[in-house]
Amino acid sequence: MAHAQHDTMRRALRREVAGTIGLLADAEDFAAMRRYRSFTFHDHTTYLREVEHLLRTLAAEGKHTTLALFDPEEYEEFCAESGLDPDTSDGRTRFTAELAAAGPTVTYDGRPLSDIVPDLIDETLRRSTVEYAEHLLSDTGRCAHCGEDIGVASFTRAAVLLSRILDTGSPGTQHIVCSVTLDTTPLLGSLHAERTPDGLLDLDETEALEVTTVLAVGIATKSPGGLVQRTTTPDQPDRVHGWRLSGEHLEPLTEAQVFDAYCTDAHTGEPVPPEPGLDYAAAPDLGPYDDPHTH
């Protein structure tokens, strides 16, 4: 009986696969989908186990499969706009195909689903951050004095600053985090880059776009923010630098300021012990920026 039930669930899953699986990673999202009679899954844990079994089966058959987060609210909106009945496997398949075309996805690479889901969530948050930041930049309008597009100018400025920061790093792995606070809402962007001993830089362009866009929002809106760079070099302590966003400029933090920032709990304000083997260093000056416009 149990075997027959599992076969039924697997056939149902296969009907809803469109090269991409729309994954209900959250138990609440799974519960929201249970209001549809055509959604035949009853237990979230069992559902995740069956999805993982399907992924392994498809991989064994040589099929390329990606995963996207399935959001019940977005699904309902999609069906309303498309004139589809949400209580059908066809509606879910078409929505998943839409996710595959326009939404963030990760490729199934054989790892356990529990390891892949955090990457999928991170990628979804990253995409949402960039889209929100781009929306904010597009709404900044034009400079009242010179007529220049503030969003474009701010993005150009941010790109120059990020390039200079990357150039300050020694050979090794650079981890850069940019944060900007809008009212009480923080925007975060992060970037990993590798600089070889001969000076070549390898980075993820999507991550670079995220950091540049977040920094550009801070510049355009004159919001508080900052940027931290951590460089990891073999056989040497990790080194941390930091800059504080001030208008259109990134002001270098001193060694003491970087130490305070790293050794203070961001939520409670209480001191925390310094990280062993970490070198807190003063940040280099990024130099002047020749911009004829002031916003």
Side-chain angles (χ1 to χ4, degrees):
M1 179 65 180
H3 179 73
Q5 184 180 24
H6 282 246
D7 286 344
T8 299
M9 287 191 291
R10 289 167 186 169
R11 285 194 296 270
L13 278 171
R14 282 180 176 272
R15 286 198 301 270
E16 300 188 20
V17 172
T20 295
I21 294 178
L23 182 68
L24 293 160
D26 184 83
E28 291 185 7
D29 288 342
F30 178 85
M33 291 301 294
R34 290 198 59 201
R35 68 178 180 270
Y36 300 119
R37 293 183 61 185
S38 62
F39 187 77
T40 58
F41 313 104
H42 304 291
D43 176 77
H44 189 231
T45 301
T46 303
Y47 161 81
L48 291 175
R49 185 167 60 247
E50 293 302 323
V51 168
E52 187 158 12
H53 179 274
L54 175 60
L55 287 167
R56 289 197 301 267
T57 300
L58 292 172
E61 295 172 357
K63 294 181 179 179
H64 176 84
T65 309
T66 58
L67 290 160
L69 287 182
F70 193 106
D71 187 305
E73 291 184 3
E74 291 181 1
Y75 172 61
E76 189 174 5
E77 293 173 1
F78 171 80
C79 289
E81 293 172 358
S82 306
L84 297 172
D85 180 0
D87 197 2
T88 61
S89 61
D90 179 63
R92 292 189 288 276
T93 300
R94 291 182 60 178
F95 177 65
T96 300
E98 187 78 9
L99 291 176
T105 61
V106 297
T107 301
Y108 176 68
D109 55 10
R111 288 180 296 159
L113 197 56
S114 58
D115 292 344
I116 297 176
V117 167
D119 290 346
L120 179 57
I121 292 174
D122 286 346
E123 182 61 27
T124 301
L125 290 175
R126 184 184 300 277
R127 178 73 68 88
S128 298
T129 296
V130 171
E131 290 178 352
Y132 178 54
E134 288 176 344
H135 172 72
L136 292 174
L137 286 176
S138 66
D139 282 350
T140 54
R142 294 186 174 275
C143 175
H145 302 291
C146 66
E148 186 177 25
D149 188 303
I150 296 174
V152 172
S154 299
F155 187 89
T156 301
R157 169 66 166 149
V160 170
L161 289 170
L162 178 59
S163 178
R164 291 181 180 178
I165 288 170
L166 288 168
D167 287 342
T168 67
S170 57
T173 301
Q174 299 183 41
H175 181 218
I176 294 173
V177 176
C178 179
S179 62
V180 169
T181 302
L182 303 171
D183 296 327
T184 58
T185 303
L187 280 180
L188 291 174
S190 63
L191 164 66
H192 281 83
E194 295 281 346
R195 183 172 293 281
T196 62
D198 56 5
L200 295 177
L201 186 67
D202 181 25
L203 54 78
D204 186 306
E205 293 185 0
T206 301
E207 293 181 351
L209 173 63
E210 178 188 21
V211 170
T212 304
T213 308
V214 169
L215 181 57
V217 168
I219 293 172
T221 60
K222 302 189 184 305
S223 299
L227 191 146
V228 173
Q229 176 191 40
R230 179 168 179 158
T231 303
T232 302
T233 305
D235 303 321
Q236 295 183 25
D238 284 10
R239 171 165 290 197
V240 176
H241 296 129
W243 294 263
R244 177 177 57 248
L245 182 60
S246 177
E248 297 182 352
H249 305 280
L250 283 173
E251 298 180 349
L253 298 179
T254 66
E255 178 182 343
Q257 288 171 325
V258 174
F259 181 88
D260 287 343
Y262 254 74
C263 298
T264 302
D265 189 293
H267 299 289
T268 66
E270 295 295 322
V272 295
E275 183 178 334
L278 188 61
D279 183 8
Y280 304 92
D285 193 304
L286 299 178
Y289 179 68
D290 298 327
D291 186 352
H293 304 290
T294 301
H295 303 298

